[in-house]
mmCIF file of all heavy atoms in Angstrom:
data_model
loop_
_atom_site.group_PDB
_atom_site.id
_atom_site.type_symbol
_atom_site.label_atom_id
_atom_site.label_comp_id
_atom_site.label_asym_id
_atom_site.label_seq_id
_atom_site.Cartn_x
_atom_site.Cartn_y
_atom_site.Cartn_z
ATOM 1 N N THR F 196 187.710 230.320 -10.752
ATOM 2 C CA THR F 196 188.485 231.556 -10.621
ATOM 3 C C THR F 196 188.200 232.126 -9.212
ATOM 4 O O THR F 196 187.031 232.171 -8.781
ATOM 5 C CB THR F 196 188.105 232.595 -11.689
ATOM 6 O OG1 THR F 196 188.394 231.991 -12.957
ATOM 7 C CG2 THR F 196 188.961 233.819 -11.478
ATOM 8 N N ILE F 197 189.215 232.589 -8.575
ATOM 9 C CA ILE F 197 189.044 233.350 -7.291
ATOM 10 C C ILE F 197 189.734 234.697 -7.408
ATOM 11 O O ILE F 197 190.666 234.885 -8.275
ATOM 12 C CB ILE F 197 189.586 232.574 -6.098
ATOM 13 C CG1 ILE F 197 191.114 232.311 -6.221
ATOM 14 C CG2 ILE F 197 188.863 231.252 -5.856
ATOM 15 C CD1 ILE F 197 191.737 231.672 -5.065
ATOM 16 N N SER F 198 189.254 235.595 -6.651
ATOM 17 C CA SER F 198 189.839 236.956 -6.690
ATOM 18 C C SER F 198 190.365 237.370 -5.372
ATOM 19 O O SER F 198 190.058 236.745 -4.293
ATOM 20 C CB SER F 198 188.740 237.931 -7.131
ATOM 21 O OG SER F 198 187.787 238.181 -6.143
ATOM 22 N N PRO F 199 191.199 238.406 -5.283
ATOM 23 C CA PRO F 199 191.837 238.856 -4.063
ATOM 24 C C PRO F 199 190.805 239.317 -3.019
ATOM 25 O O PRO F 199 191.046 239.229 -1.801
ATOM 26 C CB PRO F 199 192.733 240.100 -4.424
ATOM 27 C CG PRO F 199 193.081 239.790 -5.928
ATOM 28 C CD PRO F 199 191.782 239.168 -6.460
ATOM 29 N N LYS F 200 189.638 239.754 -3.481
ATOM 30 C CA LYS F 200 188.646 240.177 -2.545
ATOM 31 C C LYS F 200 187.786 239.099 -1.877
ATOM 32 O O LYS F 200 187.158 239.297 -0.810
ATOM 33 C CB LYS F 200 187.631 241.087 -3.198
ATOM 34 C CG LYS F 200 186.725 240.473 -4.260
ATOM 35 C CD LYS F 200 185.825 241.453 -4.923
ATOM 36 C CE LYS F 200 185.012 240.707 -6.003
ATOM 37 N NZ LYS F 200 184.071 241.620 -6.686
ATOM 38 N N ASP F 201 188.020 237.883 -2.382
ATOM 39 C CA ASP F 201 187.300 236.693 -1.742
ATOM 40 C C ASP F 201 188.017 236.273 -0.519
ATOM 41 O O ASP F 201 189.157 236.624 -0.249
ATOM 42 C CB ASP F 201 187.368 235.506 -2.714
ATOM 43 C CG ASP F 201 186.485 235.792 -3.976
ATOM 44 O OD1 ASP F 201 185.577 236.464 -3.885
ATOM 45 O OD2 ASP F 201 186.852 235.161 -5.030
ATOM 46 N N GLY F 202 187.275 235.547 0.327
ATOM 47 C CA GLY F 202 187.861 234.932 1.491
ATOM 48 C C GLY F 202 188.591 233.629 1.032
ATOM 49 O O GLY F 202 189.105 233.571 -0.094
ATOM 50 N N VAL F 203 188.593 232.664 1.815
ATOM 51 C CA VAL F 203 189.041 231.351 1.418
ATOM 52 C C VAL F 203 187.929 230.718 0.642
ATOM 53 O O VAL F 203 186.876 230.341 1.234
ATOM 54 C CB VAL F 203 189.481 230.442 2.585
ATOM 55 C CG1 VAL F 203 189.892 229.036 2.089
ATOM 56 C CG2 VAL F 203 190.624 231.107 3.322
ATOM 57 N N ARG F 204 188.074 230.562 -0.680
ATOM 58 C CA ARG F 204 187.064 230.131 -1.551
ATOM 59 C C ARG F 204 187.103 228.584 -1.725
ATOM 60 O O ARG F 204 188.191 228.052 -1.928
ATOM 61 C CB ARG F 204 187.090 230.744 -2.943
ATOM 62 C CG ARG F 204 186.276 230.185 -4.012
ATOM 63 C CD ARG F 204 184.798 230.386 -3.769
ATOM 64 N NE ARG F 204 184.475 231.816 -3.694
ATOM 65 C CZ ARG F 204 184.118 232.486 -4.797
ATOM 66 N NH1 ARG F 204 184.194 232.036 -5.958
ATOM 67 N NH2 ARG F 204 183.767 233.798 -4.610
ATOM 68 N N GLN F 205 185.969 227.967 -1.535
ATOM 69 C CA GLN F 205 185.861 226.497 -1.795
ATOM 70 C C GLN F 205 185.434 226.206 -3.184
ATOM 71 O O GLN F 205 184.349 226.662 -3.652
ATOM 72 C CB GLN F 205 184.924 225.766 -0.757
ATOM 73 C CG GLN F 205 184.937 224.288 -0.854
ATOM 74 C CD GLN F 205 184.129 223.672 0.230
ATOM 75 O OE1 GLN F 205 182.930 223.448 0.106
ATOM 76 N NE2 GLN F 205 184.800 223.389 1.382
ATOM 77 N N MET F 206 186.230 225.390 -3.945
ATOM 78 C CA MET F 206 185.921 225.123 -5.365
ATOM 79 C C MET F 206 185.799 223.543 -5.437
ATOM 80 O O MET F 206 186.605 222.801 -4.853
ATOM 81 C CB MET F 206 187.070 225.562 -6.263
ATOM 82 C CG MET F 206 187.276 227.027 -6.139
ATOM 83 S SD MET F 206 188.832 227.585 -7.015
ATOM 84 C CE MET F 206 190.009 227.102 -5.705
ATOM 85 N N VAL F 207 184.817 223.083 -6.142
ATOM 86 C CA VAL F 207 184.585 221.606 -6.318
ATOM 87 C C VAL F 207 184.799 221.203 -7.746
ATOM 88 O O VAL F 207 184.186 221.708 -8.655
ATOM 89 C CB VAL F 207 183.153 221.336 -5.939
ATOM 90 C CG1 VAL F 207 182.904 219.795 -6.020
ATOM 91 C CG2 VAL F 207 182.844 221.758 -4.449
ATOM 92 N N PHE F 208 185.787 220.278 -7.923
ATOM 93 C CA PHE F 208 186.117 219.762 -9.231
ATOM 94 C C PHE F 208 185.649 218.309 -9.321
ATOM 95 O O PHE F 208 185.779 217.485 -8.357
ATOM 96 C CB PHE F 208 187.613 219.784 -9.431
ATOM 97 C CG PHE F 208 188.224 221.194 -9.511
ATOM 98 C CD1 PHE F 208 188.560 221.837 -8.352
ATOM 99 C CD2 PHE F 208 188.455 221.733 -10.766
ATOM 100 C CE1 PHE F 208 189.141 223.089 -8.382
ATOM 101 C CE2 PHE F 208 189.059 223.090 -10.788
ATOM 102 C CZ PHE F 208 189.420 223.705 -9.660
ATOM 103 N N ASN F 209 185.110 217.944 -10.514
ATOM 104 C CA ASN F 209 184.757 216.584 -10.765
ATOM 105 C C ASN F 209 185.929 215.755 -11.237
ATOM 106 O O ASN F 209 186.516 216.068 -12.346
ATOM 107 C CB ASN F 209 183.674 216.537 -11.833
ATOM 108 C CG ASN F 209 183.093 215.152 -12.119
ATOM 109 O OD1 ASN F 209 183.630 214.174 -11.572
ATOM 110 N ND2 ASN F 209 182.067 215.047 -13.031
ATOM 111 N N VAL F 210 186.382 214.768 -10.509
ATOM 112 C CA VAL F 210 187.561 213.969 -10.901
ATOM 113 C C VAL F 210 187.186 212.532 -11.002
ATOM 114 O O VAL F 210 188.103 211.659 -11.066
ATOM 115 C CB VAL F 210 188.711 214.075 -9.827
ATOM 116 C CG1 VAL F 210 189.213 215.554 -9.743
ATOM 117 C CG2 VAL F 210 188.203 213.659 -8.447
ATOM 118 N N GLU F 211 185.924 212.183 -11.191
ATOM 119 C CA GLU F 211 185.439 210.832 -11.239
ATOM 120 C C GLU F 211 186.055 210.167 -12.442
ATOM 121 O O GLU F 211 186.067 210.589 -13.518
ATOM 122 C CB GLU F 211 183.894 210.767 -11.359
ATOM 123 C CG GLU F 211 183.324 209.375 -11.314
ATOM 124 C CD GLU F 211 181.816 209.414 -11.196
ATOM 125 O OE1 GLU F 211 181.253 210.548 -11.268
ATOM 126 O OE2 GLU F 211 181.182 208.357 -11.021
ATOM 127 N N GLY F 212 186.585 208.927 -12.186
ATOM 128 C CA GLY F 212 187.123 208.038 -13.246
ATOM 129 C C GLY F 212 188.498 208.371 -13.674
ATOM 130 O O GLY F 212 189.131 207.763 -14.539
ATOM 131 N N LEU F 213 189.188 209.385 -12.969
ATOM 132 C CA LEU F 213 190.524 209.797 -13.427
ATOM 133 C C LEU F 213 191.576 209.160 -12.514
ATOM 134 O O LEU F 213 191.476 208.942 -11.358
ATOM 135 C CB LEU F 213 190.710 211.282 -13.240
ATOM 136 C CG LEU F 213 189.693 212.175 -14.111
ATOM 137 C CD1 LEU F 213 189.956 213.660 -13.867
ATOM 138 C CD2 LEU F 213 189.912 211.864 -15.581
ATOM 139 N N GLU F 214 192.646 208.706 -13.175
ATOM 140 C CA GLU F 214 193.783 208.020 -12.498
ATOM 141 C C GLU F 214 194.768 209.076 -11.882
ATOM 142 O O GLU F 214 195.283 208.895 -10.870
ATOM 143 C CB GLU F 214 194.505 207.095 -13.408
ATOM 144 C CG GLU F 214 193.635 205.936 -13.928
ATOM 145 C CD GLU F 214 194.420 204.966 -14.842
ATOM 146 O OE1 GLU F 214 195.559 205.329 -15.232
ATOM 147 O OE2 GLU F 214 193.845 204.019 -15.234
ATOM 148 N N LYS F 215 194.919 210.119 -12.662
ATOM 149 C CA LYS F 215 195.920 211.179 -12.257
ATOM 150 C C LYS F 215 195.494 212.487 -12.840
ATOM 151 O O LYS F 215 194.952 212.570 -13.924
ATOM 152 C CB LYS F 215 197.342 210.763 -12.733
ATOM 153 C CG LYS F 215 198.475 211.660 -12.229
ATOM 154 C CD LYS F 215 199.811 211.221 -12.677
ATOM 155 C CE LYS F 215 200.905 211.947 -12.100
ATOM 156 N NZ LYS F 215 202.272 211.442 -12.442
ATOM 157 N N ILE F 216 195.642 213.583 -12.046
ATOM 158 C CA ILE F 216 195.211 214.939 -12.494
ATOM 159 C C ILE F 216 196.407 215.877 -12.323
ATOM 160 O O ILE F 216 197.303 215.674 -11.567
ATOM 161 C CB ILE F 216 193.975 215.352 -11.717
ATOM 162 C CG1 ILE F 216 194.279 215.504 -10.217
ATOM 163 C CG2 ILE F 216 192.799 214.479 -11.950
ATOM 164 C CD1 ILE F 216 193.268 216.283 -9.419
ATOM 165 N N LYS F 217 196.256 216.945 -13.091
ATOM 166 C CA LYS F 217 197.169 218.098 -12.956
ATOM 167 C C LYS F 217 196.289 219.250 -12.610
ATOM 168 O O LYS F 217 195.285 219.596 -13.303
ATOM 169 C CB LYS F 217 197.950 218.369 -14.238
ATOM 170 C CG LYS F 217 198.839 219.570 -14.145
ATOM 171 C CD LYS F 217 199.629 219.862 -15.336
ATOM 172 C CE LYS F 217 198.761 220.521 -16.458
ATOM 173 N NZ LYS F 217 199.577 220.928 -17.635
ATOM 174 N N LEU F 218 196.667 220.019 -11.548
ATOM 175 C CA LEU F 218 196.046 221.278 -11.209
ATOM 176 C C LEU F 218 197.031 222.390 -11.581
ATOM 177 O O LEU F 218 198.042 222.557 -10.949
ATOM 178 C CB LEU F 218 195.689 221.283 -9.705
ATOM 179 C CG LEU F 218 194.837 222.433 -9.207
ATOM 180 C CD1 LEU F 218 193.406 222.355 -9.813
ATOM 181 C CD2 LEU F 218 194.776 222.439 -7.715
ATOM 182 N N HIS F 219 196.559 223.203 -12.551
ATOM 183 C CA HIS F 219 197.417 224.349 -12.975
ATOM 184 C C HIS F 219 196.818 225.604 -12.377
ATOM 185 O O HIS F 219 195.613 225.895 -12.499
ATOM 186 C CB HIS F 219 197.444 224.423 -14.469
ATOM 187 C CG HIS F 219 198.257 225.523 -14.993
ATOM 188 N ND1 HIS F 219 199.631 225.574 -14.926
ATOM 189 C CD2 HIS F 219 197.889 226.691 -15.607
ATOM 190 C CE1 HIS F 219 200.069 226.656 -15.447
ATOM 191 N NE2 HIS F 219 199.052 227.473 -15.878
ATOM 192 N N VAL F 220 197.708 226.422 -11.819
ATOM 193 C CA VAL F 220 197.312 227.660 -11.122
ATOM 194 C C VAL F 220 198.009 228.826 -11.773
ATOM 195 O O VAL F 220 199.298 228.856 -11.825
ATOM 196 C CB VAL F 220 197.645 227.621 -9.623
ATOM 197 C CG1 VAL F 220 197.099 228.821 -8.893
ATOM 198 C CG2 VAL F 220 197.048 226.370 -8.969
ATOM 199 N N GLN F 221 197.205 229.831 -12.267
ATOM 200 C CA GLN F 221 197.854 230.952 -12.911
ATOM 201 C C GLN F 221 196.776 232.055 -13.129
ATOM 202 O O GLN F 221 195.617 231.805 -13.149
ATOM 203 C CB GLN F 221 198.376 230.590 -14.330
ATOM 204 C CG GLN F 221 199.198 231.681 -15.060
ATOM 205 C CD GLN F 221 199.964 231.036 -16.210
ATOM 206 O OE1 GLN F 221 199.911 229.875 -16.525
ATOM 207 N NE2 GLN F 221 200.669 231.922 -16.934
ATOM 208 N N SER F 222 197.285 233.292 -13.311
ATOM 209 C CA SER F 222 196.432 234.417 -13.543
ATOM 210 C C SER F 222 195.941 234.375 -15.056
ATOM 211 O O SER F 222 196.727 234.042 -15.921
ATOM 212 C CB SER F 222 197.140 235.722 -13.318
ATOM 213 O OG SER F 222 196.405 236.815 -13.840
ATOM 214 N N PRO F 223 194.665 234.717 -15.297
ATOM 215 C CA PRO F 223 194.188 234.727 -16.666
ATOM 216 C C PRO F 223 194.940 235.829 -17.538
ATOM 217 O O PRO F 223 194.923 235.687 -18.752
ATOM 218 C CB PRO F 223 192.662 235.089 -16.525
ATOM 219 C CG PRO F 223 192.583 235.718 -15.232
ATOM 220 C CD PRO F 223 193.603 235.148 -14.302
ATOM 221 N N GLU F 224 195.458 236.815 -16.869
ATOM 222 C CA GLU F 224 196.244 237.802 -17.613
ATOM 223 C C GLU F 224 197.690 237.441 -17.788
ATOM 224 O O GLU F 224 198.558 238.160 -18.211
ATOM 225 C CB GLU F 224 196.177 239.177 -16.953
ATOM 226 C CG GLU F 224 194.819 239.832 -17.053
ATOM 227 C CD GLU F 224 193.974 239.497 -15.899
ATOM 228 O OE1 GLU F 224 194.408 238.898 -14.850
ATOM 229 O OE2 GLU F 224 192.682 239.706 -15.918
ATOM 230 N N LEU F 225 198.081 236.211 -17.264
ATOM 231 C CA LEU F 225 199.431 235.695 -17.258
ATOM 232 C C LEU F 225 200.352 236.601 -16.483
ATOM 233 O O LEU F 225 201.526 236.652 -16.742
ATOM 234 C CB LEU F 225 199.965 235.540 -18.761
ATOM 235 C CG LEU F 225 199.115 234.687 -19.685
ATOM 236 C CD1 LEU F 225 199.725 234.592 -21.018
ATOM 237 C CD2 LEU F 225 198.904 233.329 -19.105
ATOM 238 N N ASN F 226 199.793 237.305 -15.563
ATOM 239 C CA ASN F 226 200.627 238.113 -14.671
ATOM 240 C C ASN F 226 201.485 237.192 -13.882
ATOM 241 O O ASN F 226 201.045 236.177 -13.357
ATOM 242 C CB ASN F 226 199.723 238.949 -13.724
ATOM 243 C CG ASN F 226 200.577 239.882 -12.901
ATOM 244 O OD1 ASN F 226 201.156 239.562 -11.956
ATOM 245 N ND2 ASN F 226 200.576 241.155 -13.277
ATOM 246 N N PRO F 227 202.821 237.529 -13.658
ATOM 247 C CA PRO F 227 203.716 236.574 -13.069
ATOM 248 C C PRO F 227 203.566 236.423 -11.556
ATOM 249 O O PRO F 227 204.031 235.495 -10.946
ATOM 250 C CB PRO F 227 205.106 237.119 -13.371
ATOM 251 C CG PRO F 227 204.864 238.544 -13.640
ATOM 252 C CD PRO F 227 203.469 238.675 -14.251
ATOM 253 N N TYR F 228 202.891 237.422 -10.895
ATOM 254 C CA TYR F 228 202.798 237.385 -9.435
ATOM 255 C C TYR F 228 201.303 237.299 -9.022
ATOM 256 O O TYR F 228 200.545 238.279 -9.237
ATOM 257 C CB TYR F 228 203.456 238.620 -8.812
ATOM 258 C CG TYR F 228 204.923 238.673 -9.205
ATOM 259 C CD1 TYR F 228 205.340 239.584 -10.114
ATOM 260 C CD2 TYR F 228 205.851 237.799 -8.667
ATOM 261 C CE1 TYR F 228 206.715 239.630 -10.511
ATOM 262 C CE2 TYR F 228 207.165 237.798 -9.005
ATOM 263 C CZ TYR F 228 207.637 238.725 -9.956
ATOM 264 O OH TYR F 228 208.940 238.732 -10.312
ATOM 265 N N ILE F 229 200.929 236.180 -8.403
ATOM 266 C CA ILE F 229 199.475 235.944 -8.088
ATOM 267 C C ILE F 229 199.339 235.773 -6.614
ATOM 268 O O ILE F 229 198.211 236.057 -6.076
ATOM 269 C CB ILE F 229 198.929 234.738 -8.877
ATOM 270 C CG1 ILE F 229 199.720 233.457 -8.554
ATOM 271 C CG2 ILE F 229 198.853 235.041 -10.362
ATOM 272 C CD1 ILE F 229 199.189 232.186 -9.135
ATOM 273 N N TYR F 230 200.245 235.190 -5.851
ATOM 274 C CA TYR F 230 200.171 234.958 -4.441
ATOM 275 C C TYR F 230 198.958 234.140 -4.052
ATOM 276 O O TYR F 230 198.136 234.548 -3.216
ATOM 277 C CB TYR F 230 200.213 236.361 -3.657
ATOM 278 C CG TYR F 230 201.411 237.148 -4.026
ATOM 279 C CD1 TYR F 230 201.349 238.209 -4.917
ATOM 280 C CD2 TYR F 230 202.653 236.880 -3.471
ATOM 281 C CE1 TYR F 230 202.525 238.889 -5.193
ATOM 282 C CE2 TYR F 230 203.854 237.574 -3.732
ATOM 283 C CZ TYR F 230 203.692 238.610 -4.627
ATOM 284 O OH TYR F 230 204.847 239.293 -4.969
#
Side-chain angles (χ1 to χ4, degrees):
T196 302
I197 61 176
S198 70
K200 65 182 180 180
D201 294 330
V203 177
R204 170 66 62 87
Q205 185 172 91
M206 301 168 283
V207 181
F208 294 84
N209 182 358
V210 298
E211 186 172 3
L213 300 179
E214 296 180 355
K215 188 174 183 178
I216 62 170
K217 179 180 78 172
L218 188 67
H219 179 71
V220 185
Q221 189 166 356
S222 167
E224 290 89 15
L225 304 182
N226 186 282
Y228 300 106
I229 57 175
Y230 302 100

